[in-house]
Amino acid sequence: MPAGVGDTPEIHRLVTWILIGLAVVTLISTSVMTAPYGRHTSKSWGPSLPSRWGWVLMETPAVVVFCWIYMQGQHRFETVPLILLGLWQFHYVQRTYVFPFRTRSEKRMPVFVCAMGALFQLINAYINARWISHWGSYDPQWLMDWRLWLGAGMFLAGWAINFKADAMLIALREPGESGYKIPRGWLYEYVSCPNYLGEILEWTGWAVATWSLPGLAFALYTAANIGPRARSNHRWYQATFEDYPPERKALIPFLF
Ligand SMILES: NC(=O)c1ccc[n+]([C@@H]2O[C@H](COP(=O)([O-])OP(=O)(O)OC[C@H]3O[C@@H](n4cnc5c(N)ncnc54)[C@H](OP(=O)(O)O)[C@@H]3O)[C@@H](O)[C@H]2O)c1
């Protein structure tokens, strides 16, 4: 068995709790300030790089480090861990190497934001990959377990919502355009940020499918990170467009 990681269950649990603590810190900080990228980007955060490459660098640990850690695990060739690996990579290969090149954004991202994102993904990849391929235990009976299939269904539904919502935003710009328009139709009639809603559903599905503390940690972090950002984007739309639909909510139809 490969022994490249060299951790213990105690170390793994401690790091997972650190990520949960980070989710709390993130919720507090994103509630009082908005991460400076995309429409909220700012030059006051020091050196920057093209956003597109920022996304690639920031998310690469979620693809590469995740695979490497996964391959060190004792359960790496078992069916359920392989299904979970497939779900994870289905999301992250798209997000890291396809999404940035589909966007029509010439924005820049502060190096600081990119570095923080990459650091987060390093920790996140470690706790989740290590759990599914080594410290967790998914015997073949898990293939009959409702948690795996409900979670996978939520994950894929969330992915589809996220992908379509991002595609609709990207299509608002003609090639060479850089401004913002009011998105209309489909879930945009109900909320300003269906892409974030899909993303939160996806990682909640991951938490259900893995039925694990690392899965829960990432779902909590995602909600803490983009829940408040949805509110900031919503307020930005309201302040920017006089004719912004008043009945539209930020993230959750009819509620928030
Ligand atoms: N798991 C997590 O914690 C997490 C955290 C952050 C993001 N994400 C995911 O990463 C993806 C991108 O996030 P994001 O915060 O960059 O999303 P976003 O602000 O909605 O932007 C997505 C893309 O659409 C463009 N765009 C947005 N609104 C537009 C409008 N009204 N008119 C024209 N173009 C518009 C943006 O251009 P500009 O870049 O020029 O604004 C960007 O290229 C999303 O799928 C999100 O769910 C996940």
Side-chain angles (χ1 to χ4, degrees), residues 7 34 36 38 54 62 70-71 86 95 99-100 105 154 166 176 181 185 203 227 255:
D7 61 347
T34 306
Y70 180 91
M71 288 311 293
R95 170 59 45 73
F99 166 77
S105 176
M154 289 167 68
D166 274 343
K181 298 171 189 169
W203 297 112
L255 291 176

Side-chain angles (χ1 to χ4, degrees), residues 37-40 51 55 58-59 91-92 94-95 99 102-107 120-121 162-163 165-166 168-173 178-183 188 192-200 202-203 218 221-223 225-226 229 233 236-237 241:
Y37 73 87
R39 81 195 69 201
H40 306 287
S51 238
W55 277 103
M58 182 166 76
E59 305 288 63
H91 172 94
Y92 269 115
Q94 196 283 130
R95 170 59 45 73
F99 166 77
R102 287 170 52 232
T103 65
R104 292 176 181 158
S105 176
E106 298 306 325
K107 293 252 161 37
F120 165 78
Q121 286 298 11
N162 175 265
F163 186 85
D166 274 343
M168 287 176 74
L169 290 179
I170 290 166
L172 288 174
R173 287 182 187 150
S178 59
Y180 293 90
K181 298 171 189 169
I182 301 177
Y188 284 104
S192 295
C193 302
N195 52 348
Y196 295 170
L197 178 64
E199 183 99 23
I200 292 169
E202 239 184 300
W203 297 112
F218 185 28
Y221 179 87
T222 298
N225 190 17
I226 55 182
R229 191 173 180 86
N233 286 0
W236 178 92
Y237 275 123
F241 298 104

Side-chain angles (χ1 to χ4, degrees), residues 44-98:
S44 62
W45 285 74
S48 62
L49 74 170
S51 238
R52 195 165 274 131
W53 291 105
W55 277 103
V56 173
L57 289 176
M58 182 166 76
E59 305 288 63
T60 284
V63 178
V64 177
V65 176
F66 192 98
C67 274
W68 183 78
I69 290 175
Y70 180 91
M71 288 311 293
Q72 312 307 308
Q74 59 184 334
H75 306 302
R76 64 194 181 283
F77 295 127
E78 293 174 14
T79 308
V80 174
L82 282 169
I83 290 173
L84 295 170
L85 171 70
L87 288 176
W88 182 281
Q89 295 297 347
F90 179 63
H91 172 94
Y92 269 115
V93 169
Q94 196 283 130
R95 170 59 45 73
T96 309
Y97 303 117
V98 181

